Amino acid sequence: MTETRNDWTREEIAELFDLPFDELMWEAQGVHRRHHARGEVQLCTLLSIKTGGCAEDCGYCSQSAHADTGLKATKLMDVRAVLQAAAEAKDAGSQRFCMGAAWRNPKDRDMPAIVEMIEGVRQMGMETCMTLGMLTKEQAQTLAVAGLDYYNHNIDTSPENYENIISTRTFQDRLDTLEEVRAAGINVCSGGIVGMGETRSDRVGFIHALATLERHPESVPVNALIPIKGTVLGDMLADTSLAEIDDIEFVRTVAVARITMPKSMVRLSAGRESMSEATQALCFMAGANSIFTGDKLLTTGNRGDSADAALFAKLGLRPMVSEEPMRMEAAE
Ligand code: SAM
Ligand code: DTB
Ligand code: SF4
């Protein structure tokens, strides 16, 4: 087994991106086979437990109060309705249930309901994941005690590109929450978005920031930007001042994530609805081994289970079977 490294340099990562495509794919597939069961893909299901009206100004997001997407803001969902959706996801074969809230940060008064959701979903035998924005130390500890398996908190892009995408928080704010999540002993899910008009060097910086964390995130979602009308980035793409990401460059990013973070689950996340089956197949060859299932992400569409089942059959892939989620030791 090759050792996991946390001392990647930007130059090394840039060299990986620069490899001839066949060599990059060969390398990524080799790393993948050394660390993961071949042909297995983890199925995760998303639910938006609190939609819209978010105070942050993330340029890609339909749920920002700063965007003009016509999205109706909702209150936090009722616990029973969340557990009903989780039961349906489990029946559909999902291994992990990811609950997302459009918050800058949760309020302490929201935490009891969040805790009930985590406990309820865990009792069904699914892994739990929450994404609620920035957390205090106490909130991270509350989630850990409730049994939360994963916390999703994306760094989204390179440190130097961050302020071009989001102005209401800093890259360091993101790292601070990730540290609290780690310290509380919760597994980390952190990745980002490709196709926001960033440069190759930003993609290098994005992977570098993840691959040099003291511990790699256990899950690394790689999203392809879904351009949404009324968001800053969606409107820029529509008026063509922003070029769409090239499929091969997207696959390269997945491959470099796989090589630099060999043990992490790399999730081919948002953007599959408009991605060709051939590009998705290349992403799986490049080492992606997790997807979001169902016909909805948070506010946008997803491919749906029957299209995915047909793709899996075509490619000879199979859903990963659940194992008891591994809990991390709390770092002092
Ligand atoms: N509010 C929480 C936060 O920002 O951490 C959780 C929800 S937020 C919607 C989760 C992630 O979804 C973002 O960090 C971003 O990476 C991804 N995302 C949001 N809108 C997207 C879009 N239009 N296309 C691709 N990914 C998107
Ligand atoms: C992640 O990296 N992607 C998911 C999940 N983490 C929370 C969210 C994708 C959202 C896509 C846009 C939408 O549906 O609003
Ligand atoms: Fe809010 Fe998260 Fe959307 Fe940013 S990505 S606007 S924090 S919901």
Side-chain angles (χ1 to χ4, degrees):
M1 287 251 172
T2 42
E3 217 181 299
T4 301
R5 288 179 49 197
N6 304 73
D7 61 352
W8 291 96
T9 64
R10 283 201 183 215
E11 291 68 36
E12 285 176 308
I13 294 175
E15 279 166 19
L16 288 173
F17 266 100
D18 280 342
L19 282 174
F21 191 67
D22 61 339
E23 278 182 42
L24 178 63
M25 294 296 277
W26 173 264
E27 177 101 4
Q29 183 59 212
V31 171
H32 188 70
R33 285 171 183 232
R34 284 197 290 280
H35 294 276
H36 300 272
R38 53 184 87 157
E40 280 193 2
V41 178
Q42 177 192 44
L43 307 183
C44 307
T45 303
L46 266 174
L47 177 69
S48 180
I49 58 172
K50 194 269 164 221
T51 306
C54 182
E56 304 267 26
D57 69 351
C58 313
Y60 46 78
C61 186
S62 63
Q63 306 198 69
S64 165
H66 305 256
D68 187 14
T69 50
L71 188 74
K72 197 171 153 282
T74 66
K75 290 209 194 101
L76 181 61
M77 270 174 83
D78 183 66
V79 176
R80 267 183 318 175
V82 172
L83 297 185
Q84 174 65 36
E88 285 164 19
K90 177 151 173 85
D91 286 347
S94 198
Q95 194 183 17
R96 187 178 300 178
F97 196 62
C98 310
M99 295 160 269
W103 284 327
R104 175 171 163 79
N105 50 265
K107 307 240 178 349
D108 285 342
R109 65 161 188 267
D110 299 315
M111 294 307 280
I114 296 290
V115 163
E116 273 189 65
M117 291 172 193
I118 295 167
E119 289 172 348
V121 174
R122 267 205 129 218
Q123 272 166 20
M124 292 174 193
M126 259 188 297
E127 293 178 344
T128 51
C129 180
M130 284 271 174
T131 177
L132 312 169
M134 292 184 266
L135 297 179
T136 62
K137 184 183 291 300
E138 292 69 31
Q139 287 172 333
Q141 284 166 353
T142 303
L143 296 175
V145 170
L148 184 69
D149 298 300
Y150 290 82
Y151 194 76
N152 167 246
H153 202 64
N154 289 344
I155 62 161
D156 277 327
T157 188
S158 67
E160 58 277 16
N161 190 35
Y162 205 74
E163 63 181 22
N164 299 326
I165 309 290
I166 300 145
S167 78
T168 48
R169 59 169 189 261
T170 63
F171 194 79
Q172 187 59 46
D173 288 331
R174 281 319 240 194
L175 297 181
D176 291 347
T177 291
L178 289 176
E179 247 186 69
E180 295 301 355
V181 169
R182 268 277 176 248
I186 301 168
N187 291 304
V188 167
C189 170
S190 188
I193 310 182
V194 180
M196 298 193 291
E198 75 283 344
T199 60
R200 160 71 73 83
S201 153
D202 288 320
R203 289 186 282 279
V204 169
F206 157 59
I207 299 285
H208 178 258
L210 294 170
T212 54
L213 288 172
E214 209 174 308
R215 257 148 78 175
H216 294 161
E218 281 71 23
S219 289
V220 178
V222 182
N223 297 277
L225 176 73
I226 300 181
I228 300 169
K229 197 167 169 283
T231 62
V232 174
L233 291 170
D235 290 348
M236 277 169 78
L237 261 173
D239 75 11
T240 68
S241 59
L242 194 74
E244 220 173 290
I245 182 83
D246 177 72
D247 286 346
I248 297 296
E249 184 67 12
F250 185 84
V251 178
R252 282 185 185 274
T253 311
V254 170
V256 176
R258 164 53 64 230
I259 293 167
T260 53
M261 295 172 277
K263 293 185 179 155
S264 306
M265 304 295 293
V266 175
R267 184 169 316 122
L268 178 54
S269 303
R272 288 196 307 117
E273 203 178 23
S274 59
M275 197 178 281
S276 72
E277 290 196 336
T279 301
Q280 293 183 62
L282 285 174
C283 289
F284 294 126
M285 282 178 68
N289 59 347
S290 176
I291 57 165
F292 285 122
T293 59
D295 53 15
K296 197 161 177 213
L297 294 168
L298 291 173
T299 67
T300 61
N302 197 22
R303 283 185 96 233
D305 291 343
S306 49
D308 282 342
L311 179 61
F312 275 35
K314 216 188 268 192
L315 301 179
L317 298 174
R318 54 191 188 284
M320 198 169 282
V321 183
S322 262
E323 286 168 29
E324 194 51 28
M326 205 172 68
R327 297 307 308 278
M328 312 305 303
E329 291 295 314
E332 277 309 313

Short mmCIF file of all heavy atoms in Angstrom, two decimals, residues 54 56 58 60-63 99-105 130-134 151-156 169 174 191-194 196 221 223-228 231 269-271 297-300, ligand 1:
data_model
loop_
_atom_site.label_atom_id
_atom_site.label_comp_id
_atom_site.label_asym_id
_atom_site.label_seq_id
_atom_site.Cartn_x
_atom_site.Cartn_y
_atom_site.Cartn_z
N CYS A 54 -30.60 32.06 2.79
CA CYS A 54 -29.31 32.01 3.50
C CYS A 54 -28.60 33.37 3.44
O CYS A 54 -28.57 34.03 2.39
CB CYS A 54 -28.42 30.93 2.88
SG CYS A 54 -26.84 30.76 3.71
N GLU A 56 -25.47 34.01 3.52
CA GLU A 56 -24.18 34.03 2.81
C GLU A 56 -24.39 34.38 1.33
O GLU A 56 -25.50 34.22 0.79
CB GLU A 56 -23.51 32.65 2.92
CG GLU A 56 -23.31 32.17 4.35
CD GLU A 56 -21.96 32.53 4.93
OE1 GLU A 56 -21.34 33.52 4.49
OE2 GLU A 56 -21.52 31.81 5.83
N CYS A 58 -22.64 33.09 -1.46
CA CYS A 58 -21.92 32.17 -2.36
C CYS A 58 -22.45 32.34 -3.79
O CYS A 58 -23.66 32.16 -4.04
CB CYS A 58 -22.11 30.74 -1.90
SG CYS A 58 -21.84 30.56 -0.12
N TYR A 60 -22.50 30.72 -6.44
CA TYR A 60 -23.05 29.58 -7.18
C TYR A 60 -24.43 29.16 -6.67
O TYR A 60 -25.12 28.38 -7.30
CB TYR A 60 -22.09 28.37 -7.06
CG TYR A 60 -21.61 28.14 -5.64
CD1 TYR A 60 -22.40 27.54 -4.68
CD2 TYR A 60 -20.33 28.56 -5.24
CE1 TYR A 60 -21.97 27.35 -3.37
CE2 TYR A 60 -19.88 28.40 -3.94
CZ TYR A 60 -20.72 27.79 -3.01
OH TYR A 60 -20.29 27.63 -1.72
N CYS A 61 -24.83 29.69 -5.51
CA CYS A 61 -25.90 29.00 -4.78
C CYS A 61 -27.28 29.64 -4.95
O CYS A 61 -27.47 30.84 -4.77
CB CYS A 61 -25.54 28.95 -3.30
SG CYS A 61 -26.74 27.96 -2.35
N SER A 62 -28.25 28.79 -5.26
CA SER A 62 -29.64 29.23 -5.44
C SER A 62 -30.27 29.64 -4.12
O SER A 62 -31.31 30.29 -4.11
CB SER A 62 -30.45 28.06 -6.02
OG SER A 62 -30.46 27.00 -5.07
N GLN A 63 -29.65 29.24 -3.01
CA GLN A 63 -30.29 29.42 -1.71
C GLN A 63 -29.85 30.70 -0.98
O GLN A 63 -30.33 31.00 0.11
CB GLN A 63 -29.99 28.21 -0.83
CG GLN A 63 -30.38 26.90 -1.49
CD GLN A 63 -30.48 25.81 -0.47
OE1 GLN A 63 -31.38 25.82 0.36
NE2 GLN A 63 -29.55 24.88 -0.50
N MET A 99 -28.05 15.51 5.17
CA MET A 99 -29.07 16.53 5.41
C MET A 99 -28.42 17.92 5.34
O MET A 99 -27.43 18.19 6.02
CB MET A 99 -29.70 16.29 6.79
CG MET A 99 -30.48 14.97 6.84
SD MET A 99 -30.76 14.34 8.51
CE MET A 99 -29.29 13.31 8.74
N GLY A 100 -28.98 18.79 4.50
CA GLY A 100 -28.36 20.10 4.27
C GLY A 100 -29.29 21.24 4.66
O GLY A 100 -30.49 21.21 4.37
N ALA A 101 -28.73 22.23 5.33
CA ALA A 101 -29.52 23.41 5.71
C ALA A 101 -28.86 24.67 5.16
O ALA A 101 -27.64 24.83 5.25
CB ALA A 101 -29.63 23.50 7.23
N ALA A 102 -29.68 25.57 4.64
CA ALA A 102 -29.17 26.83 4.07
C ALA A 102 -28.98 27.84 5.18
O ALA A 102 -29.74 28.81 5.30
CB ALA A 102 -30.14 27.34 3.01
N TRP A 103 -27.98 27.57 5.98
CA TRP A 103 -27.65 28.45 7.10
C TRP A 103 -26.21 28.92 6.98
O TRP A 103 -25.34 28.18 6.52
CB TRP A 103 -27.74 27.68 8.42
CG TRP A 103 -29.11 27.42 8.92
CD1 TRP A 103 -30.21 28.20 8.78
CD2 TRP A 103 -29.53 26.27 9.69
NE1 TRP A 103 -31.29 27.62 9.41
CE2 TRP A 103 -30.89 26.45 9.98
CE3 TRP A 103 -28.87 25.12 10.16
CZ2 TRP A 103 -31.62 25.52 10.72
CZ3 TRP A 103 -29.59 24.20 10.89
CH2 TRP A 103 -30.95 24.40 11.17
N ARG A 104 -25.97 30.15 7.48
CA ARG A 104 -24.57 30.57 7.69
C ARG A 104 -24.01 29.75 8.84
O ARG A 104 -22.88 29.31 8.83
CB ARG A 104 -24.54 32.07 8.02
CG ARG A 104 -23.19 32.60 8.37
CD ARG A 104 -23.23 34.13 8.45
NE ARG A 104 -22.08 34.66 9.15
CZ ARG A 104 -20.87 34.81 8.62
NH1 ARG A 104 -20.65 34.45 7.37
NH2 ARG A 104 -19.89 35.33 9.32
N ASN A 105 -24.86 29.53 9.84
CA ASN A 105 -24.51 28.67 10.98
C ASN A 105 -25.82 28.30 11.68
O ASN A 105 -26.78 29.06 11.61
CB ASN A 105 -23.58 29.40 11.96
CG ASN A 105 -24.10 30.76 12.34
OD1 ASN A 105 -23.73 31.77 11.74
ND2 ASN A 105 -25.00 30.81 13.31
N MET A 130 -24.39 15.74 7.96
CA MET A 130 -25.09 17.02 8.07
C MET A 130 -24.21 18.09 7.42
O MET A 130 -22.97 18.01 7.49
CB MET A 130 -25.28 17.42 9.53
CG MET A 130 -26.38 16.68 10.25
SD MET A 130 -27.93 17.57 10.06
CE MET A 130 -29.08 16.41 10.81
N THR A 131 -24.84 19.09 6.84
CA THR A 131 -24.12 20.26 6.37
C THR A 131 -24.96 21.48 6.74
O THR A 131 -26.04 21.70 6.21
CB THR A 131 -23.75 20.16 4.87
OG1 THR A 131 -23.11 21.36 4.47
CG2 THR A 131 -24.94 19.88 3.95
N LEU A 132 -24.46 22.22 7.74
CA LEU A 132 -25.28 23.25 8.39
C LEU A 132 -24.57 24.60 8.42
O LEU A 132 -25.04 25.52 9.08
CB LEU A 132 -25.59 22.83 9.85
CG LEU A 132 -26.09 21.40 10.08
CD1 LEU A 132 -26.08 21.08 11.58
CD2 LEU A 132 -27.48 21.21 9.51
N GLY A 133 -23.43 24.71 7.74
CA GLY A 133 -22.66 25.95 7.79
C GLY A 133 -21.62 25.91 8.90
O GLY A 133 -21.21 24.83 9.34
N MET A 134 -21.21 27.09 9.35
CA MET A 134 -20.14 27.17 10.35
C MET A 134 -20.62 26.67 11.71
O MET A 134 -21.77 26.88 12.07
CB MET A 134 -19.66 28.61 10.49
CG MET A 134 -18.95 29.09 9.25
SD MET A 134 -18.28 30.74 9.47
CE MET A 134 -19.58 31.73 8.80
N TYR A 151 -19.53 15.32 8.67
CA TYR A 151 -19.98 16.71 8.51
C TYR A 151 -19.43 17.21 7.19
O TYR A 151 -18.23 17.12 6.92
CB TYR A 151 -19.48 17.60 9.66
CG TYR A 151 -20.22 18.93 9.68
CD1 TYR A 151 -21.52 19.00 10.16
CD2 TYR A 151 -19.64 20.08 9.18
CE1 TYR A 151 -22.23 20.20 10.15
CE2 TYR A 151 -20.34 21.29 9.17
CZ TYR A 151 -21.64 21.33 9.66
OH TYR A 151 -22.34 22.50 9.64
N ASN A 152 -20.33 17.72 6.32
CA ASN A 152 -19.90 18.26 5.03
C ASN A 152 -19.69 19.76 5.14
O ASN A 152 -20.58 20.50 5.58
CB ASN A 152 -20.94 17.95 3.95
CG ASN A 152 -20.70 18.77 2.69
OD1 ASN A 152 -21.51 19.62 2.32
ND2 ASN A 152 -19.58 18.55 2.02
N HIS A 153 -18.52 20.20 4.75
CA HIS A 153 -18.20 21.62 4.79
C HIS A 153 -17.14 21.82 3.71
O HIS A 153 -15.97 21.48 3.90
CB HIS A 153 -17.65 21.95 6.18
CG HIS A 153 -17.75 23.39 6.56
ND1 HIS A 153 -18.95 24.04 6.71
CD2 HIS A 153 -16.79 24.30 6.83
CE1 HIS A 153 -18.73 25.30 7.07
NE2 HIS A 153 -17.43 25.49 7.14
N ASN A 154 -17.54 22.35 2.57
CA ASN A 154 -16.64 22.41 1.42
C ASN A 154 -15.73 23.64 1.48
O ASN A 154 -16.16 24.72 1.88
CB ASN A 154 -17.45 22.45 0.12
CG ASN A 154 -18.13 21.11 -0.17
OD1 ASN A 154 -17.77 20.10 0.42
ND2 ASN A 154 -19.10 21.11 -1.05
N ILE A 155 -14.50 23.44 1.01
CA ILE A 155 -13.61 24.60 0.86
C ILE A 155 -13.85 25.26 -0.50
O ILE A 155 -13.41 26.36 -0.75
CB ILE A 155 -12.12 24.25 1.03
CG1 ILE A 155 -11.68 23.24 -0.04
CG2 ILE A 155 -11.84 23.71 2.43
CD1 ILE A 155 -10.16 23.20 -0.22
N ASP A 156 -14.52 24.53 -1.36
CA ASP A 156 -15.04 24.99 -2.66
C ASP A 156 -14.03 25.33 -3.74
O ASP A 156 -14.21 24.96 -4.89
CB ASP A 156 -16.03 26.15 -2.48
CG ASP A 156 -17.41 25.62 -2.15
OD1 ASP A 156 -17.75 24.53 -2.64
OD2 ASP A 156 -18.14 26.25 -1.37
N ARG A 169 -17.72 35.34 4.08
CA ARG A 169 -16.86 34.58 5.00
C ARG A 169 -15.53 34.35 4.31
O ARG A 169 -15.40 34.61 3.11
CB ARG A 169 -17.51 33.25 5.41
CG ARG A 169 -17.81 32.34 4.25
CD ARG A 169 -18.19 30.93 4.64
NE ARG A 169 -18.24 30.14 3.42
CZ ARG A 169 -19.34 29.84 2.75
NH1 ARG A 169 -20.52 30.20 3.17
NH2 ARG A 169 -19.26 29.14 1.63
N ARG A 174 -13.74 28.59 6.92
CA ARG A 174 -14.05 27.20 6.54
C ARG A 174 -13.11 26.24 7.27
O ARG A 174 -13.53 25.25 7.84
CB ARG A 174 -13.89 26.99 5.04
CG ARG A 174 -14.99 27.48 4.13
CD ARG A 174 -16.36 27.25 4.61
NE ARG A 174 -17.20 26.43 3.77
CZ ARG A 174 -18.54 26.34 3.92
NH1 ARG A 174 -19.18 27.01 4.84
NH2 ARG A 174 -19.25 25.55 3.15
N GLY A 191 -14.97 19.16 -0.04
CA GLY A 191 -14.52 19.21 -1.43
C GLY A 191 -14.85 20.56 -2.00
O GLY A 191 -14.71 21.58 -1.32
N GLY A 192 -15.31 20.57 -3.24
CA GLY A 192 -15.60 21.87 -3.84
C GLY A 192 -16.26 21.76 -5.19
O GLY A 192 -16.80 20.71 -5.55
N ILE A 193 -16.17 22.86 -5.91
CA ILE A 193 -16.86 22.97 -7.21
C ILE A 193 -15.84 23.29 -8.30
O ILE A 193 -14.97 24.13 -8.12
CB ILE A 193 -17.91 24.11 -7.18
CG1 ILE A 193 -18.81 23.98 -5.95
CG2 ILE A 193 -18.74 24.10 -8.45
CD1 ILE A 193 -19.91 25.05 -5.88
N VAL A 194 -15.97 22.59 -9.40
CA VAL A 194 -15.14 22.84 -10.57
C VAL A 194 -16.04 23.46 -11.64
O VAL A 194 -17.21 23.08 -11.77
CB VAL A 194 -14.51 21.51 -11.07
CG1 VAL A 194 -13.64 21.74 -12.27
CG2 VAL A 194 -13.72 20.85 -9.95
N MET A 196 -16.25 27.04 -12.08
CA MET A 196 -16.75 28.36 -11.67
C MET A 196 -15.94 29.47 -12.34
O MET A 196 -15.90 30.59 -11.84
CB MET A 196 -16.66 28.51 -10.15
CG MET A 196 -17.52 27.50 -9.40
SD MET A 196 -17.71 27.90 -7.65
CE MET A 196 -16.04 27.62 -7.06
N PRO A 221 -16.24 15.50 -1.99
CA PRO A 221 -17.16 15.73 -3.10
C PRO A 221 -16.57 16.66 -4.13
O PRO A 221 -16.05 17.72 -3.79
CB PRO A 221 -18.39 16.37 -2.43
CG PRO A 221 -17.93 16.91 -1.13
CD PRO A 221 -16.66 16.18 -0.74
N ASN A 223 -17.92 18.66 -7.16
CA ASN A 223 -19.13 19.10 -7.85
C ASN A 223 -18.75 19.78 -9.16
O ASN A 223 -17.76 20.51 -9.22
CB ASN A 223 -19.88 20.14 -7.00
CG ASN A 223 -20.37 19.59 -5.67
OD1 ASN A 223 -21.42 18.97 -5.60
ND2 ASN A 223 -19.60 19.81 -4.59
N ALA A 224 -19.57 19.56 -10.19
CA ALA A 224 -19.45 20.38 -11.41
C ALA A 224 -20.50 21.47 -11.24
O ALA A 224 -21.65 21.17 -10.90
CB ALA A 224 -19.75 19.54 -12.64
N LEU A 225 -20.10 22.71 -11.45
CA LEU A 225 -21.05 23.80 -11.23
C LEU A 225 -22.36 23.55 -11.99
O LEU A 225 -22.34 23.28 -13.19
CB LEU A 225 -20.47 25.15 -11.70
CG LEU A 225 -21.46 26.32 -11.58
CD1 LEU A 225 -21.66 26.73 -10.13
CD2 LEU A 225 -21.01 27.51 -12.42
N ILE A 226 -23.48 23.65 -11.27
CA ILE A 226 -24.79 23.67 -11.93
C ILE A 226 -25.12 25.15 -12.09
O ILE A 226 -25.33 25.85 -11.09
CB ILE A 226 -25.86 22.96 -11.08
CG1 ILE A 226 -25.45 21.50 -10.83
CG2 ILE A 226 -27.22 23.07 -11.74
CD1 ILE A 226 -26.45 20.70 -10.01
N PRO A 227 -25.13 25.64 -13.31
CA PRO A 227 -25.40 27.08 -13.47
C PRO A 227 -26.88 27.36 -13.23
O PRO A 227 -27.74 26.81 -13.91
CB PRO A 227 -25.01 27.37 -14.93
CG PRO A 227 -24.81 26.04 -15.59
CD PRO A 227 -24.92 24.96 -14.59
N ILE A 228 -27.17 28.19 -12.24
CA ILE A 228 -28.56 28.47 -11.87
C ILE A 228 -28.86 29.94 -12.16
O ILE A 228 -28.15 30.83 -11.69
CB ILE A 228 -28.80 28.15 -10.38
CG1 ILE A 228 -28.50 26.66 -10.11
CG2 ILE A 228 -30.24 28.49 -9.97
CD1 ILE A 228 -28.44 26.28 -8.64
N THR A 231 -28.27 33.38 -10.00
CA THR A 231 -27.04 33.39 -9.18
C THR A 231 -25.97 34.13 -9.99
O THR A 231 -26.05 34.18 -11.23
CB THR A 231 -26.54 31.96 -8.87
OG1 THR A 231 -26.21 31.31 -10.11
CG2 THR A 231 -27.58 31.14 -8.13
N SER A 269 -20.29 14.52 -7.57
CA SER A 269 -21.44 15.08 -6.85
C SER A 269 -22.40 15.82 -7.78
O SER A 269 -22.96 15.20 -8.67
CB SER A 269 -20.93 15.97 -5.71
OG SER A 269 -20.10 15.20 -4.87
N ALA A 270 -22.57 17.12 -7.58
CA ALA A 270 -23.52 17.85 -8.42
C ALA A 270 -23.05 17.87 -9.87
O ALA A 270 -21.85 17.77 -10.15
CB ALA A 270 -23.65 19.28 -7.90
N GLY A 271 -24.01 17.99 -10.77
CA GLY A 271 -23.66 18.19 -12.18
C GLY A 271 -23.78 16.96 -13.04
O GLY A 271 -23.53 17.02 -14.25
N LEU A 297 -31.11 16.97 -5.84
CA LEU A 297 -29.98 17.25 -4.94
C LEU A 297 -30.56 18.09 -3.80
O LEU A 297 -31.33 17.57 -3.01
CB LEU A 297 -28.87 17.96 -5.72
CG LEU A 297 -28.22 17.09 -6.81
CD1 LEU A 297 -27.34 17.92 -7.73
CD2 LEU A 297 -27.41 15.96 -6.19
N LEU A 298 -30.23 19.38 -3.70
CA LEU A 298 -30.87 20.20 -2.67
C LEU A 298 -32.02 20.99 -3.31
O LEU A 298 -33.18 20.84 -2.92
CB LEU A 298 -29.84 21.14 -2.02
CG LEU A 298 -28.80 20.43 -1.16
CD1 LEU A 298 -27.72 21.41 -0.70
CD2 LEU A 298 -29.42 19.75 0.06
N THR A 299 -31.69 21.79 -4.32
CA THR A 299 -32.76 22.55 -4.99
C THR A 299 -32.81 22.23 -6.48
O THR A 299 -33.70 22.70 -7.17
CB THR A 299 -32.51 24.08 -4.84
OG1 THR A 299 -31.32 24.43 -5.57
CG2 THR A 299 -32.35 24.46 -3.38
N THR A 300 -31.85 21.47 -6.97
CA THR A 300 -31.79 21.18 -8.41
C THR A 300 -31.99 19.68 -8.65
O THR A 300 -31.94 18.88 -7.71
CB THR A 300 -30.43 21.60 -9.00
OG1 THR A 300 -29.42 20.84 -8.32
CG2 THR A 300 -30.16 23.07 -8.79
N1 SAM B 1 -24.94 26.01 3.87
C1 SAM B 1 -24.07 24.94 3.96
C2 SAM B 1 -22.71 25.24 3.44
O1 SAM B 1 -22.54 26.09 2.61
O2 SAM B 1 -21.78 24.57 3.88
C3 SAM B 1 -24.58 23.67 3.33
C4 SAM B 1 -25.26 23.64 2.01
S1 SAM B 1 -24.32 24.10 0.58
C5 SAM B 1 -25.60 24.14 -0.62
C6 SAM B 1 -23.31 22.70 0.20
C7 SAM B 1 -22.41 22.74 -1.00
O3 SAM B 1 -23.16 22.53 -2.20
C8 SAM B 1 -21.64 23.99 -1.29
O4 SAM B 1 -20.51 24.11 -0.48
C9 SAM B 1 -21.25 23.81 -2.75
O5 SAM B 1 -20.01 23.15 -2.86
C10 SAM B 1 -22.37 22.91 -3.30
N2 SAM B 1 -23.20 23.64 -4.26
C11 SAM B 1 -24.13 24.57 -3.98
N3 SAM B 1 -24.67 25.07 -5.10
C12 SAM B 1 -24.07 24.43 -6.14
C13 SAM B 1 -24.20 24.53 -7.57
N4 SAM B 1 -25.02 25.38 -8.16
N5 SAM B 1 -23.43 23.72 -8.33
C14 SAM B 1 -22.56 22.86 -7.75
N6 SAM B 1 -22.40 22.73 -6.41
C15 SAM B 1 -23.14 23.51 -5.62
#
